[in-house]
Amino acid sequence: MSAATGTRRGGGSAPPRDRIGPNAITRLAEALVGHGGPALAAEVFGQAGLARHLRRPPDTMVPEDEACRLHAALRAFAGSGRFEAAAGSGGRATLTIRGNPLCRGQLALAPACDYYAATFERLFRVLVHPDCRVAEVACEARGDTACRFEVTREAPPKIRA
């Protein structure tokens, strides 16, 4: 089959298959290993049915559905809670976990989900832009209705002459 035309040798055409660059897989693996170690990466990749990509990272285009499965497995780390993501204006996003299992039975005066905030920030910095920042602005452990995280891009400092 010709990659350029999508036609098979001898004629005919194969059904198109959407593909995406290998960084959609490899950068997420790096972020997971860097933040939670190899065990966390293995668990997420295993849930997505992509453990083979940890053993041998792709270096060519991969089927788009593999990246989608991997990101869906990552969202599963809300445990029994419900994960929601919403894009806002100006490059902002809001990530919400309702029924967060890490907050069950916890009482806190300040947001207590450092694990999620750090994980989200690392992922956004690696996958989106190094200036991304994540702050937990609401937390079930302090009585809020959900754990909510705001994703923003911090403008680089201006250099004065």
Side-chain angles (χ1 to χ4, degrees), residues 113-146:
C113 300
D114 296 337
Y115 168 79
Y116 284 118
T119 299
F120 293 144
E121 183 167 299
R122 176 74 175 144
L123 291 172
F124 273 85
R125 283 183 173 189
V126 170
L127 298 172
V128 178
H129 195 279
D131 292 337
C132 286
R133 300 292 181 263
V134 174
E136 185 177 14
V137 296
C139 184
E140 290 178 346
R142 70 174 193 188
D144 295 316
T145 59

PDB file of all heavy atoms in Angstrom, residues 113-146:
ATOM      1  N   CYS A 113      -6.082  18.366  47.149  1.00  0.00           N
ATOM      2  CA  CYS A 113      -5.817  17.419  46.063  1.00  0.00           C
ATOM      3  C   CYS A 113      -4.528  17.744  45.313  1.00  0.00           C
ATOM      4  O   CYS A 113      -4.514  17.884  44.092  1.00  0.00           O
ATOM      5  CB  CYS A 113      -7.009  17.398  45.105  1.00  0.00           C
ATOM      6  SG  CYS A 113      -8.540  16.909  45.913  1.00  0.00           S
ATOM      7  N   ASP A 114      -3.449  17.855  46.058  1.00  0.00           N
ATOM      8  CA  ASP A 114      -2.151  18.166  45.455  1.00  0.00           C
ATOM      9  C   ASP A 114      -1.765  17.153  44.383  1.00  0.00           C
ATOM     10  O   ASP A 114      -1.158  17.517  43.369  1.00  0.00           O
ATOM     11  CB  ASP A 114      -1.056  18.200  46.519  1.00  0.00           C
ATOM     12  CG  ASP A 114      -1.267  19.304  47.536  1.00  0.00           C
ATOM     13  OD1 ASP A 114      -1.953  20.286  47.209  1.00  0.00           O
ATOM     14  OD2 ASP A 114      -0.748  19.174  48.658  1.00  0.00           O
ATOM     15  N   TYR A 115      -2.105  15.879  44.613  1.00  0.00           N
ATOM     16  CA  TYR A 115      -1.761  14.826  43.644  1.00  0.00           C
ATOM     17  C   TYR A 115      -2.359  15.142  42.281  1.00  0.00           C
ATOM     18  O   TYR A 115      -1.668  15.130  41.267  1.00  0.00           O
ATOM     19  CB  TYR A 115      -2.251  13.464  44.146  1.00  0.00           C
ATOM     20  CG  TYR A 115      -2.201  12.398  43.090  1.00  0.00           C
ATOM     21  CD1 TYR A 115      -1.006  11.775  42.770  1.00  0.00           C
ATOM     22  CD2 TYR A 115      -3.348  12.024  42.392  1.00  0.00           C
ATOM     23  CE1 TYR A 115      -0.946  10.806  41.774  1.00  0.00           C
ATOM     24  CE2 TYR A 115      -3.295  11.056  41.404  1.00  0.00           C
ATOM     25  CZ  TYR A 115      -2.095  10.447  41.109  1.00  0.00           C
ATOM     26  OH  TYR A 115      -2.050   9.494  40.120  1.00  0.00           O
ATOM     27  N   TYR A 116      -3.664  15.427  42.253  1.00  0.00           N
ATOM     28  CA  TYR A 116      -4.311  15.714  40.978  1.00  0.00           C
ATOM     29  C   TYR A 116      -3.783  17.009  40.366  1.00  0.00           C
ATOM     30  O   TYR A 116      -3.513  17.082  39.174  1.00  0.00           O
ATOM     31  CB  TYR A 116      -5.835  15.811  41.137  1.00  0.00           C
ATOM     32  CG  TYR A 116      -6.525  14.476  41.282  1.00  0.00           C
ATOM     33  CD1 TYR A 116      -7.236  14.170  42.427  1.00  0.00           C
ATOM     34  CD2 TYR A 116      -6.470  13.532  40.265  1.00  0.00           C
ATOM     35  CE1 TYR A 116      -7.883  12.947  42.560  1.00  0.00           C
ATOM     36  CE2 TYR A 116      -7.115  12.313  40.394  1.00  0.00           C
ATOM     37  CZ  TYR A 116      -7.817  12.028  41.543  1.00  0.00           C
ATOM     38  OH  TYR A 116      -8.447  10.827  41.662  1.00  0.00           O
ATOM     39  N   ALA A 117      -3.630  18.058  41.178  1.00  0.00           N
ATOM     40  CA  ALA A 117      -3.150  19.340  40.658  1.00  0.00           C
ATOM     41  C   ALA A 117      -1.767  19.167  40.032  1.00  0.00           C
ATOM     42  O   ALA A 117      -1.516  19.661  38.924  1.00  0.00           O
ATOM     43  CB  ALA A 117      -3.116  20.385  41.771  1.00  0.00           C
ATOM     44  N   ALA A 118      -0.880  18.466  40.702  1.00  0.00           N
ATOM     45  CA  ALA A 118       0.473  18.262  40.170  1.00  0.00           C
ATOM     46  C   ALA A 118       0.456  17.398  38.912  1.00  0.00           C
ATOM     47  O   ALA A 118       1.182  17.671  37.945  1.00  0.00           O
ATOM     48  CB  ALA A 118       1.361  17.625  41.238  1.00  0.00           C
ATOM     49  N   THR A 119      -0.386  16.371  38.906  1.00  0.00           N
ATOM     50  CA  THR A 119      -0.477  15.499  37.734  1.00  0.00           C
ATOM     51  C   THR A 119      -1.007  16.279  36.536  1.00  0.00           C
ATOM     52  O   THR A 119      -0.428  16.220  35.443  1.00  0.00           O
ATOM     53  CB  THR A 119      -1.400  14.297  38.022  1.00  0.00           C
ATOM     54  OG1 THR A 119      -0.850  13.549  39.109  1.00  0.00           O
ATOM     55  CG2 THR A 119      -1.535  13.401  36.802  1.00  0.00           C
ATOM     56  N   PHE A 120      -2.097  17.011  36.724  1.00  0.00           N
ATOM     57  CA  PHE A 120      -2.658  17.793  35.627  1.00  0.00           C
ATOM     58  C   PHE A 120      -1.655  18.828  35.122  1.00  0.00           C
ATOM     59  O   PHE A 120      -1.488  19.007  33.919  1.00  0.00           O
ATOM     60  CB  PHE A 120      -3.948  18.495  36.062  1.00  0.00           C
ATOM     61  CG  PHE A 120      -5.106  17.576  36.354  1.00  0.00           C
ATOM     62  CD1 PHE A 120      -6.000  17.869  37.366  1.00  0.00           C
ATOM     63  CD2 PHE A 120      -5.319  16.426  35.607  1.00  0.00           C
ATOM     64  CE1 PHE A 120      -7.077  17.042  37.641  1.00  0.00           C
ATOM     65  CE2 PHE A 120      -6.402  15.591  35.868  1.00  0.00           C
ATOM     66  CZ  PHE A 120      -7.276  15.900  36.887  1.00  0.00           C
ATOM     67  N   GLU A 121      -0.982  19.507  36.050  1.00  0.00           N
ATOM     68  CA  GLU A 121      -0.031  20.536  35.618  1.00  0.00           C
ATOM     69  C   GLU A 121       1.106  19.929  34.810  1.00  0.00           C
ATOM     70  O   GLU A 121       1.488  20.453  33.768  1.00  0.00           O
ATOM     71  CB  GLU A 121       0.527  21.300  36.816  1.00  0.00           C
ATOM     72  CG  GLU A 121       1.451  22.424  36.377  1.00  0.00           C
ATOM     73  CD  GLU A 121       1.776  23.387  37.491  1.00  0.00           C
ATOM     74  OE1 GLU A 121       0.837  24.020  38.032  1.00  0.00           O
ATOM     75  OE2 GLU A 121       2.962  23.520  37.815  1.00  0.00           O
ATOM     76  N   ARG A 122       1.639  18.825  35.264  1.00  0.00           N
ATOM     77  CA  ARG A 122       2.738  18.180  34.528  1.00  0.00           C
ATOM     78  C   ARG A 122       2.267  17.759  33.137  1.00  0.00           C
ATOM     79  O   ARG A 122       2.970  17.973  32.142  1.00  0.00           O
ATOM     80  CB  ARG A 122       3.263  16.975  35.314  1.00  0.00           C
ATOM     81  CG  ARG A 122       4.317  16.178  34.610  1.00  0.00           C
ATOM     82  CD  ARG A 122       5.641  16.898  34.601  1.00  0.00           C
ATOM     83  NE  ARG A 122       6.637  16.023  34.003  1.00  0.00           N
ATOM     84  CZ  ARG A 122       7.617  16.447  33.238  1.00  0.00           C
ATOM     85  NH1 ARG A 122       7.767  17.727  33.004  1.00  0.00           N
ATOM     86  NH2 ARG A 122       8.460  15.596  32.725  1.00  0.00           N
ATOM     87  N   LEU A 123       1.105  17.175  33.050  1.00  0.00           N
ATOM     88  CA  LEU A 123       0.591  16.743  31.752  1.00  0.00           C
ATOM     89  C   LEU A 123       0.376  17.929  30.815  1.00  0.00           C
ATOM     90  O   LEU A 123       0.772  17.885  29.650  1.00  0.00           O
ATOM     91  CB  LEU A 123      -0.713  15.965  31.929  1.00  0.00           C
ATOM     92  CG  LEU A 123      -0.563  14.596  32.587  1.00  0.00           C
ATOM     93  CD1 LEU A 123      -1.924  14.006  32.894  1.00  0.00           C
ATOM     94  CD2 LEU A 123       0.244  13.665  31.708  1.00  0.00           C
ATOM     95  N   PHE A 124      -0.226  18.991  31.323  1.00  0.00           N
ATOM     96  CA  PHE A 124      -0.456  20.162  30.472  1.00  0.00           C
ATOM     97  C   PHE A 124       0.859  20.808  30.058  1.00  0.00           C
ATOM     98  O   PHE A 124       1.010  21.260  28.926  1.00  0.00           O
ATOM     99  CB  PHE A 124      -1.375  21.169  31.163  1.00  0.00           C
ATOM    100  CG  PHE A 124      -2.832  20.881  30.930  1.00  0.00           C
ATOM    101  CD1 PHE A 124      -3.512  19.975  31.722  1.00  0.00           C
ATOM    102  CD2 PHE A 124      -3.525  21.513  29.915  1.00  0.00           C
ATOM    103  CE1 PHE A 124      -4.848  19.698  31.511  1.00  0.00           C
ATOM    104  CE2 PHE A 124      -4.868  21.243  29.682  1.00  0.00           C
ATOM    105  CZ  PHE A 124      -5.525  20.330  30.485  1.00  0.00           C
ATOM    106  N   ARG A 125       1.842  20.860  30.955  1.00  0.00           N
ATOM    107  CA  ARG A 125       3.137  21.449  30.605  1.00  0.00           C
ATOM    108  C   ARG A 125       3.849  20.655  29.524  1.00  0.00           C
ATOM    109  O   ARG A 125       4.478  21.216  28.641  1.00  0.00           O
ATOM    110  CB  ARG A 125       4.028  21.559  31.836  1.00  0.00           C
ATOM    111  CG  ARG A 125       3.665  22.693  32.739  1.00  0.00           C
ATOM    112  CD  ARG A 125       4.637  22.775  33.888  1.00  0.00           C
ATOM    113  NE  ARG A 125       4.395  23.963  34.678  1.00  0.00           N
ATOM    114  CZ  ARG A 125       5.198  24.364  35.638  1.00  0.00           C
ATOM    115  NH1 ARG A 125       6.286  23.675  35.934  1.00  0.00           N
ATOM    116  NH2 ARG A 125       4.914  25.453  36.312  1.00  0.00           N
ATOM    117  N   VAL A 126       3.762  19.341  29.614  1.00  0.00           N
ATOM    118  CA  VAL A 126       4.443  18.491  28.634  1.00  0.00           C
ATOM    119  C   VAL A 126       3.670  18.422  27.324  1.00  0.00           C
ATOM    120  O   VAL A 126       4.251  18.515  26.246  1.00  0.00           O
ATOM    121  CB  VAL A 126       4.665  17.070  29.207  1.00  0.00           C
ATOM    122  CG1 VAL A 126       5.142  16.107  28.135  1.00  0.00           C
ATOM    123  CG2 VAL A 126       5.675  17.121  30.348  1.00  0.00           C
ATOM    124  N   LEU A 127       2.356  18.281  27.408  1.00  0.00           N
ATOM    125  CA  LEU A 127       1.560  18.036  26.207  1.00  0.00           C
ATOM    126  C   LEU A 127       1.025  19.293  25.526  1.00  0.00           C
ATOM    127  O   LEU A 127       0.767  19.272  24.327  1.00  0.00           O
ATOM    128  CB  LEU A 127       0.382  17.118  26.547  1.00  0.00           C
ATOM    129  CG  LEU A 127       0.770  15.738  27.063  1.00  0.00           C
ATOM    130  CD1 LEU A 127      -0.467  15.000  27.556  1.00  0.00           C
ATOM    131  CD2 LEU A 127       1.484  14.943  26.003  1.00  0.00           C
ATOM    132  N   VAL A 128       0.832  20.372  26.279  1.00  0.00           N
ATOM    133  CA  VAL A 128       0.224  21.568  25.701  1.00  0.00           C
ATOM    134  C   VAL A 128       1.233  22.699  25.575  1.00  0.00           C
ATOM    135  O   VAL A 128       1.550  23.142  24.482  1.00  0.00           O
ATOM    136  CB  VAL A 128      -1.004  22.020  26.527  1.00  0.00           C
ATOM    137  CG1 VAL A 128      -1.610  23.288  25.959  1.00  0.00           C
ATOM    138  CG2 VAL A 128      -2.048  20.908  26.580  1.00  0.00           C
ATOM    139  N   HIS A 129       1.746  23.176  26.716  1.00  0.00           N
ATOM    140  CA  HIS A 129       2.700  24.290  26.693  1.00  0.00           C
ATOM    141  C   HIS A 129       3.410  24.354  28.043  1.00  0.00           C
ATOM    142  O   HIS A 129       2.776  24.195  29.085  1.00  0.00           O
ATOM    143  CB  HIS A 129       1.955  25.606  26.414  1.00  0.00           C
ATOM    144  CG  HIS A 129       2.878  26.708  26.015  1.00  0.00           C
ATOM    145  ND1 HIS A 129       3.589  27.448  26.925  1.00  0.00           N
ATOM    146  CD2 HIS A 129       3.214  27.181  24.789  1.00  0.00           C
ATOM    147  CE1 HIS A 129       4.317  28.334  26.295  1.00  0.00           C
ATOM    148  NE2 HIS A 129       4.107  28.198  24.986  1.00  0.00           N
ATOM    149  N   PRO A 130       4.715  24.632  28.042  1.00  0.00           N
ATOM    150  CA  PRO A 130       5.456  24.660  29.306  1.00  0.00           C
ATOM    151  C   PRO A 130       5.028  25.767  30.266  1.00  0.00           C
ATOM    152  O   PRO A 130       5.375  25.730  31.436  1.00  0.00           O
ATOM    153  CB  PRO A 130       6.915  24.841  28.882  1.00  0.00           C
ATOM    154  CG  PRO A 130       6.911  25.144  27.440  1.00  0.00           C
ATOM    155  CD  PRO A 130       5.567  24.778  26.883  1.00  0.00           C
ATOM    156  N   ASP A 131       4.256  26.754  29.800  1.00  0.00           N
ATOM    157  CA  ASP A 131       3.789  27.829  30.675  1.00  0.00           C
ATOM    158  C   ASP A 131       2.458  27.514  31.362  1.00  0.00           C
ATOM    159  O   ASP A 131       1.934  28.359  32.078  1.00  0.00           O
ATOM    160  CB  ASP A 131       3.639  29.132  29.881  1.00  0.00           C
ATOM    161  CG  ASP A 131       4.985  29.685  29.422  1.00  0.00           C
ATOM    162  OD1 ASP A 131       6.015  29.344  30.046  1.00  0.00           O
ATOM    163  OD2 ASP A 131       5.005  30.439  28.441  1.00  0.00           O
ATOM    164  N   CYS A 132       1.910  26.325  31.149  1.00  0.00           N
ATOM    165  CA  CYS A 132       0.625  25.980  31.774  1.00  0.00           C
ATOM    166  C   CYS A 132       0.793  25.836  33.278  1.00  0.00           C
ATOM    167  O   CYS A 132       1.786  25.302  33.761  1.00  0.00           O
ATOM    168  CB  CYS A 132       0.069  24.673  31.199  1.00  0.00           C
ATOM    169  SG  CYS A 132      -0.577  24.854  29.536  1.00  0.00           S
ATOM    170  N   ARG A 133      -0.203  26.309  33.996  1.00  0.00           N
ATOM    171  CA  ARG A 133      -0.251  26.189  35.451  1.00  0.00           C
ATOM    172  C   ARG A 133      -1.627  25.649  35.828  1.00  0.00           C
ATOM    173  O   ARG A 133      -2.617  25.954  35.177  1.00  0.00           O
ATOM    174  CB  ARG A 133      -0.055  27.551  36.129  1.00  0.00           C
ATOM    175  CG  ARG A 133       1.252  28.243  35.816  1.00  0.00           C
ATOM    176  CD  ARG A 133       2.453  27.501  36.412  1.00  0.00           C
ATOM    177  NE  ARG A 133       3.684  28.189  36.129  1.00  0.00           N
ATOM    178  CZ  ARG A 133       4.505  27.884  35.128  1.00  0.00           C
ATOM    179  NH1 ARG A 133       4.203  26.911  34.307  1.00  0.00           N
ATOM    180  NH2 ARG A 133       5.629  28.530  34.957  1.00  0.00           N
ATOM    181  N   VAL A 134      -1.679  24.863  36.903  1.00  0.00           N
ATOM    182  CA  VAL A 134      -2.948  24.318  37.391  1.00  0.00           C
ATOM    183  C   VAL A 134      -3.067  24.646  38.873  1.00  0.00           C
ATOM    184  O   VAL A 134      -2.130  24.443  39.641  1.00  0.00           O
ATOM    185  CB  VAL A 134      -3.023  22.788  37.179  1.00  0.00           C
ATOM    186  CG1 VAL A 134      -4.281  22.218  37.818  1.00  0.00           C
ATOM    187  CG2 VAL A 134      -2.973  22.449  35.698  1.00  0.00           C
ATOM    188  N   ALA A 135      -4.220  25.167  39.253  1.00  0.00           N
ATOM    189  CA  ALA A 135      -4.495  25.470  40.657  1.00  0.00           C
ATOM    190  C   ALA A 135      -5.839  24.859  41.025  1.00  0.00           C
ATOM    191  O   ALA A 135      -6.805  24.979  40.276  1.00  0.00           O
ATOM    192  CB  ALA A 135      -4.526  26.980  40.871  1.00  0.00           C
ATOM    193  N   GLU A 136      -5.882  24.224  42.190  1.00  0.00           N
ATOM    194  CA  GLU A 136      -7.155  23.714  42.685  1.00  0.00           C
ATOM    195  C   GLU A 136      -7.889  24.880  43.342  1.00  0.00           C
ATOM    196  O   GLU A 136      -7.376  25.500  44.275  1.00  0.00           O
ATOM    197  CB  GLU A 136      -6.948  22.578  43.688  1.00  0.00           C
ATOM    198  CG  GLU A 136      -8.263  21.951  44.110  1.00  0.00           C
ATOM    199  CD  GLU A 136      -8.105  20.781  45.056  1.00  0.00           C
ATOM    200  OE1 GLU A 136      -7.007  20.577  45.613  1.00  0.00           O
ATOM    201  OE2 GLU A 136      -9.100  20.067  45.243  1.00  0.00           O
ATOM    202  N   VAL A 137      -9.079  25.175  42.849  1.00  0.00           N
ATOM    203  CA  VAL A 137      -9.828  26.335  43.342  1.00  0.00           C
ATOM    204  C   VAL A 137     -11.047  25.937  44.173  1.00  0.00           C
ATOM    205  O   VAL A 137     -11.664  26.791  44.796  1.00  0.00           O
ATOM    206  CB  VAL A 137     -10.248  27.263  42.175  1.00  0.00           C
ATOM    207  CG1 VAL A 137      -9.020  27.839  41.491  1.00  0.00           C
ATOM    208  CG2 VAL A 137     -11.128  26.531  41.174  1.00  0.00           C
ATOM    209  N   ALA A 138     -11.404  24.675  44.180  1.00  0.00           N
ATOM    210  CA  ALA A 138     -12.493  24.170  45.014  1.00  0.00           C
ATOM    211  C   ALA A 138     -12.153  22.722  45.368  1.00  0.00           C
ATOM    212  O   ALA A 138     -11.514  22.028  44.579  1.00  0.00           O
ATOM    213  CB  ALA A 138     -13.824  24.236  44.270  1.00  0.00           C
ATOM    214  N   CYS A 139     -12.566  22.296  46.567  1.00  0.00           N
ATOM    215  CA  CYS A 139     -12.212  20.947  47.016  1.00  0.00           C
ATOM    216  C   CYS A 139     -13.328  20.376  47.892  1.00  0.00           C
ATOM    217  O   CYS A 139     -13.797  21.041  48.816  1.00  0.00           O
ATOM    218  CB  CYS A 139     -10.899  20.994  47.793  1.00  0.00           C
ATOM    219  SG  CYS A 139     -10.286  19.368  48.303  1.00  0.00           S
ATOM    220  N   GLU A 140     -13.720  19.155  47.582  1.00  0.00           N
ATOM    221  CA  GLU A 140     -14.757  18.488  48.378  1.00  0.00           C
ATOM    222  C   GLU A 140     -14.329  18.306  49.823  1.00  0.00           C
ATOM    223  O   GLU A 140     -15.166  18.321  50.723  1.00  0.00           O
ATOM    224  CB  GLU A 140     -15.107  17.135  47.751  1.00  0.00           C
ATOM    225  CG  GLU A 140     -15.844  17.265  46.439  1.00  0.00           C
ATOM    226  CD  GLU A 140     -16.139  15.923  45.796  1.00  0.00           C
ATOM    227  OE1 GLU A 140     -15.563  14.889  46.211  1.00  0.00           O
ATOM    228  OE2 GLU A 140     -16.964  15.902  44.867  1.00  0.00           O
ATOM    229  N   ALA A 141     -13.019  18.159  50.073  1.00  0.00           N
ATOM    230  CA  ALA A 141     -12.538  17.959  51.447  1.00  0.00           C
ATOM    231  C   ALA A 141     -12.769  19.190  52.318  1.00  0.00           C
ATOM    232  O   ALA A 141     -12.804  19.082  53.534  1.00  0.00           O
ATOM    233  CB  ALA A 141     -11.054  17.601  51.443  1.00  0.00           C
ATOM    234  N   ARG A 142     -12.957  20.349  51.706  1.00  0.00           N
ATOM    235  CA  ARG A 142     -13.254  21.546  52.503  1.00  0.00           C
ATOM    236  C   ARG A 142     -14.721  21.951  52.387  1.00  0.00           C
ATOM    237  O   ARG A 142     -15.095  23.062  52.753  1.00  0.00           O
ATOM    238  CB  ARG A 142     -12.322  22.696  52.169  1.00  0.00           C
ATOM    239  CG  ARG A 142     -12.516  23.300  50.840  1.00  0.00           C
ATOM    240  CD  ARG A 142     -11.643  24.530  50.664  1.00  0.00           C
ATOM    241  NE  ARG A 142     -12.138  25.217  49.484  1.00  0.00           N
ATOM    242  CZ  ARG A 142     -11.570  26.223  48.928  1.00  0.00           C
ATOM    243  NH1 ARG A 142     -10.460  26.709  49.437  1.00  0.00           N
ATOM    244  NH2 ARG A 142     -12.089  26.768  47.864  1.00  0.00           N
ATOM    245  N   GLY A 143     -15.549  21.053  51.827  1.00  0.00           N
ATOM    246  CA  GLY A 143     -16.981  21.280  51.780  1.00  0.00           C
ATOM    247  C   GLY A 143     -17.532  21.764  50.455  1.00  0.00           C
ATOM    248  O   GLY A 143     -18.738  21.975  50.333  1.00  0.00           O
ATOM    249  N   ASP A 144     -16.697  21.956  49.458  1.00  0.00           N
ATOM    250  CA  ASP A 144     -17.184  22.368  48.143  1.00  0.00           C
ATOM    251  C   ASP A 144     -17.904  21.202  47.466  1.00  0.00           C
ATOM    252  O   ASP A 144     -17.714  20.038  47.833  1.00  0.00           O
ATOM    253  CB  ASP A 144     -16.022  22.858  47.275  1.00  0.00           C
ATOM    254  CG  ASP A 144     -15.370  24.119  47.837  1.00  0.00           C
ATOM    255  OD1 ASP A 144     -16.103  25.029  48.260  1.00  0.00           O
ATOM    256  OD2 ASP A 144     -14.122  24.180  47.862  1.00  0.00           O
ATOM    257  N   THR A 145     -18.730  21.502  46.470  1.00  0.00           N
ATOM    258  CA  THR A 145     -19.526  20.471  45.808  1.00  0.00           C
ATOM    259  C   THR A 145     -18.700  19.592  44.872  1.00  0.00           C
ATOM    260  O   THR A 145     -19.164  18.527  44.471  1.00  0.00           O
ATOM    261  CB  THR A 145     -20.673  21.102  45.004  1.00  0.00           C
ATOM    262  OG1 THR A 145     -20.125  21.999  44.039  1.00  0.00           O
ATOM    263  CG2 THR A 145     -21.633  21.844  45.924  1.00  0.00           C
ATOM    264  N   ALA A 146     -17.506  20.032  44.508  1.00  0.00           N
ATOM    265  CA  ALA A 146     -16.636  19.259  43.614  1.00  0.00           C
ATOM    266  C   ALA A 146     -15.205  19.764  43.780  1.00  0.00           C
ATOM    267  O   ALA A 146     -14.979  20.861  44.295  1.00  0.00           O
ATOM    268  CB  ALA A 146     -17.074  19.428  42.161  1.00  0.00           C
TER     269      ALA A 146
END
